[in-house]
């Protein structure tokens, strides 16, 4: 397998996760791993004074956690996945949407059709 990429989506709006996975499947992307994740700001607010952390949560109600989706895909499917993600969750330049990036996969074993 050549030109494989690891596509990572940190999804803040995790209520859209089910719809996203269905749309990815419909577009021919069949493999993804989803884990619960927490951002740095949320971790820092938990580490500081409980009162300040709860006040911050009240004033700026951010999510406590995210969902991080990992996919190992070839170049062609990366473009498909990016389109599906944007069509499903909206523009990623909007606050509180998510972060999307890819990195080369130097070694891949255990998947048939990425």
């Amino acid at each position: 397998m050549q030109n494989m990429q690891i596509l990572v989506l940190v999804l803040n709006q995790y209520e859209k996760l089910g719809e996203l996975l269905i749309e990815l499947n419909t577009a021919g992307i069949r493999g993804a791993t989803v884990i619960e994740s927490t951002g740095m700001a949320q971790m820092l607010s938990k580490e500081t004074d409980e009162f300040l952390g709860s006040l911050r949560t009240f004033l700026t109600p951010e999510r406590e956690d995210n969902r991080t989706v990992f996919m190992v895909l070839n170049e062609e499917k990366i473009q498909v996945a990016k389109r599906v993600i944007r069509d499903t969750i909206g523009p990623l330049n909007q606050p509180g949407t998510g972060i999307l990036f890819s990195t080369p996969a130097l070694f891949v074993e255990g998947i048939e059709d990425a």
Side-chain angles (χ1 to χ4, degrees), residues 4-20:
M4 301 300 286
Q5 297 279 321
I6 302 168
L7 185 66
V8 179
L9 170 65
V10 180
L11 181 61
N12 292 49
Q13 301 173 343
Y14 60 82
E15 65 275 2
K16 294 185 178 182
L17 179 62
E19 178 186 358
L20 176 61

Side-chain angles (χ1 to χ4, degrees), residues 9-106:
L9 170 65
V10 180
L11 181 61
N12 292 49
Q13 301 173 343
Y14 60 82
E15 65 275 2
K16 294 185 178 182
L17 179 62
E19 178 186 358
L20 176 61
L21 295 176
I22 290 168
E23 293 300 323
L24 287 167
N25 187 59
T26 300
I29 297 171
R30 306 270 190 285
T33 298
V34 180
I35 61 172
E36 291 185 19
S37 53
T38 303
M40 182 177 171
Q42 285 299 322
M43 291 303 296
L44 288 174
S45 71
K46 290 178 183 178
E47 295 297 322
T48 59
D49 184 7
E50 285 186 36
F51 174 73
L52 293 177
S54 62
L55 182 61
R56 179 176 180 255
T57 302
F58 177 73
L59 295 175
T60 56
E62 298 178 24
R63 299 182 187 278
E64 292 257 341
D65 57 358
N66 310 305
R67 299 298 183 268
T68 300
V69 182
F70 297 91
M71 295 169 268
V72 177
L73 304 168
N74 64 36
E75 287 288 329
E76 179 183 302
K77 288 188 178 180
I78 289 281
Q79 298 308 316
V80 172
K82 287 168 53 176
R83 179 187 48 78
V84 169
I85 289 166
R86 290 183 186 121
D87 288 350
T88 305
I89 67 173
L92 294 169
N93 62 355
Q94 299 297 314
T97 306
I99 299 168
L100 180 66
F101 66 93
S102 71
T103 186
L106 300 177

